[in-house]
Amino acid sequence: MVRPAYPLPTRNEAPASAAQVSTQSAPARIKSSDLLQKTREVEIDHEGRIYRLRLTQLNKLILTA
């Protein structure tokens, strides 16, 4: 017997509708180099609150409020 690649719903579970499956999409992707634009720190205004996105010496990103 061949098993399906996805789990089948049990009697108590309703199968996912086509609308539920199609609304899940990949998040937008932005390159950090495009965001930082040759600097090591940018400020991001999110609903009036300022966040700092910094590039560390080890080439990691840190976001702080």
Side-chain angles (χ1 to χ4, degrees):
M1 181 169 138
V2 177
R3 291 182 142 181
Y6 52 90
L8 294 174
T10 63
R11 291 178 193 233
N12 296 335
E13 294 177 329
S17 69
Q20 289 172 326
V21 174
S22 66
T23 58
Q24 297 174 357
S25 62
R29 182 173 294 183
I30 300 171
K31 291 185 178 185
S32 60
S33 59
D34 292 341
L35 197 58
L36 293 168
Q37 299 179 0
K38 299 180 183 179
T39 65
R40 299 196 62 85
E41 184 174 326
V42 294
E43 291 186 348
I44 301 169
D45 183 340
H46 176 68
E47 297 182 355
R49 186 162 184 181
I50 303 299
Y51 292 84
R52 285 195 170 93
L53 181 65
R54 293 182 288 138
L55 185 63
T56 68
Q57 290 179 348
L58 297 175
N59 207 33
K60 307 274 183 181
L61 294 174
I62 297 178
L63 181 65
T64 55

